[in-house]
Amino acid sequence: MENEVKLTKLARCAGCGAKVGAGVLAQLLEGIRVREDPNLLVGFDKSDDASVYKVSDDLALVQTVDFFPPIADDPYLFGQIAATNALSDVYAMGGEPKLALNLMCVPENMPREAVHQMLRGGYDKVYEAGCLITGGHSIFDEEPKYGLAVTGFVHPDRILTNSGARPGDVLLLTKPLGVGILTTAYKGGLLSPEEMEPVYRLMTTLNKAARDVMVRFPVHACTDVTGFSLMGHLLEMVQGSGVQAVVHTAEVDVLAGAAEMAKMGVLPEGMYRNRSFAGPSVDPGSVPLHTQDILFDPQTAGGLLMAADPSCAEELLAALSACVPSARRIGEVLGIGGEARILLR
């Protein structure tokens, strides 16, 4: 779709690549008092995807918020991507999104139709998820930004966190990597709109199907792979779980063209922030630098990373293969056996 406004030209950073780095974020939160509440099952002190609050023996609320600057020029497409990304945190906790609130920043001179299309994209994707938008908040800003605050439901005994991985678990990933690299290349004029179509299709694919399959199996931990990259989110998982992990890099699916761009040094700024945070905990072995860069690449609306019981891993992988963009077995969880928390092989 052609539009009068090119949204990515209005923003310095794109999508989840605009996130504050995990290391900086940890410093900003340091020393903030965490209040105790027995019904708060997951809070911000856990570095998890969303908070979870127990309402009754059968119901807990999952709450999250996510918004960012444009990662696509088309306003409707950008709205879809932002909504897909925001909903993902609820799916990662094993929950079902139920209510959402719009969060929007727009320049005063942004065309009314462009704003309308951005909101419509968000609405359409939220309704696809079986969720309702019930209001929101908007302000004027020099750069456009859009996202959602989302509330979901989950049974208190069926919450999936990023800190339950066990030695022997199998690591599964449901979308390919390379989104940050390819969107950076496109913004630099190195890719055509046609070459970006698979990337946009990936970023507008809900993690609903992955979640619906996942909850039928003994999965011990889950997180979605977004701005902190596969390495950053996996590091949070292994640290929270008190384990180590090995990643078989040849098994990690990568979007077409991402490896070539990484070899050329076409990398988003967020990749360097992610490497600074997670790199010291990663043993790269003999893995080529451009492959490492892809593993540190910030994703937008990325897939679910699951730590599944080995007894069900193959059955789960087969079930996922029928309904997600890319079901791959990418590694295993180990017991602590050295200084590095993630081993690349």
Side-chain angles (χ1 to χ4, degrees):
M1 181 187 301
E2 291 297 324
N3 295 277
E4 294 180 2
V5 59
K6 298 295 185 183
L7 293 185
T8 58
K9 302 301 182 183
L10 303 178
R12 291 187 297 272
C13 296
C16 284
K19 288 178 70 170
V20 174
V24 174
L25 183 60
Q27 294 173 6
L28 294 174
L29 293 172
E30 188 176 359
I32 294 180
R33 181 184 174 189
V34 179
R35 293 186 177 274
E36 298 292 330
D37 186 323
N39 291 319
L40 182 62
L41 305 181
V42 181
F44 78 82
D45 56 316
K46 301 295 185 182
S47 298
D48 221 314
D49 297 298
S51 65
V52 183
Y53 190 87
K54 182 178 178 181
V55 177
S56 68
D57 290 341
D58 300 317
L59 177 65
L61 297 181
V62 184
Q63 292 192 305
T64 186
V65 60
D66 213 314
F67 69 105
F68 48 58
I71 195 167
D73 285 324
D74 181 272
Y76 178 77
L77 178 59
F78 169 49
Q80 286 189 304
I81 294 169
T84 300
N85 187 76
L87 292 161
S88 184
D89 286 341
V90 176
Y91 292 132
M93 307 297 290
E96 296 181 84
K98 293 297 182 181
L99 301 172
L101 298 171
N102 282 319
L103 292 169
M104 184 176 70
C105 307
V106 292
E108 290 189 65
N109 62 350
M110 188 168 170
R112 180 176 178 178
E113 178 60 19
V115 177
H116 173 78
Q117 290 298 324
M118 186 170 67
L119 290 170
R120 189 171 71 87
Y123 272 72
D124 284 353
K125 193 54 63 171
V126 167
Y127 294 150
E128 181 186 330
C131 185
L132 298 172
I133 290 182
T134 58
H137 186 67
S138 59
I139 64 170
F140 288 124
D141 192 4
E142 292 182 0
E143 288 187 2
K145 302 173 186 71
Y146 177 64
L148 301 168
V150 185
T151 297
F153 294 171
V154 70
H155 193 287
D157 297 333
R158 301 187 190 117
I159 300 165
L160 287 170
T161 71
N162 68 357
S163 57
R166 307 173 187 176
D169 281 352
V170 174
L171 296 175
L172 304 177
L173 184 60
T174 66
K175 287 186 182 182
L177 303 181
V179 166
I181 292 169
L182 293 178
T183 53
T184 299
Y186 178 66
K187 194 170 182 178
L190 299 175
L191 294 176
S192 69
E194 291 73 24
E195 290 173 306
M196 287 298 293
E197 284 302 316
V199 186
Y200 294 142
R201 188 163 55 249
L202 187 72
M203 289 190 287
T204 54
T205 299
L206 294 172
N207 281 325
K208 181 180 188 302
R211 177 265 175 202
D212 291 348
V213 169
M214 174 178 68
V215 296
R216 306 191 333 243
F217 292 85
V219 171
H220 298 142
C222 182
T223 186
D224 62 334
V225 177
T226 55
F228 294 157
S229 75
L230 174 61
M231 290 295 93
H233 289 287
L234 179 56
L235 178 60
E236 289 182 336
M237 180 182 286
V238 296
Q239 287 179 330
S241 304
V243 295
Q244 197 175 37
V246 58
V247 174
H248 305 296
T249 57
E251 301 304 319
V252 177
D253 196 8
V254 178
L255 284 162
E260 289 74 13
M261 292 297 163
K263 289 177 182 177
M264 293 168 56
V266 181
L267 302 166
E269 184 179 345
M271 192 285 297
Y272 297 99
R273 291 195 296 268
N274 291 335
R275 185 184 286 277
S276 176
F277 164 65
S281 299
V282 176
D283 176 357
S286 58
V287 173
L289 181 60
H290 76 274
T291 301
Q292 296 178 46
D293 290 341
I294 293 169
L295 301 178
F296 288 103
D297 180 41
Q299 305 303 289
T300 298
L304 297 185
L305 174 66
M306 309 170 190
D309 191 285
S311 66
C312 75
E314 291 306 315
E315 186 180 357
L316 172 55
L317 183 63
L320 288 170
S321 296
C323 63
V324 304
S326 171
R328 292 290 186 92
R329 176 176 179 157
I330 66 165
E332 294 84 39
V333 177
L334 311 172
I336 293 294
E339 292 185 8
R341 302 304 288 267
I342 300 173
L343 310 176
L344 302 184
R345 297 295 182 260

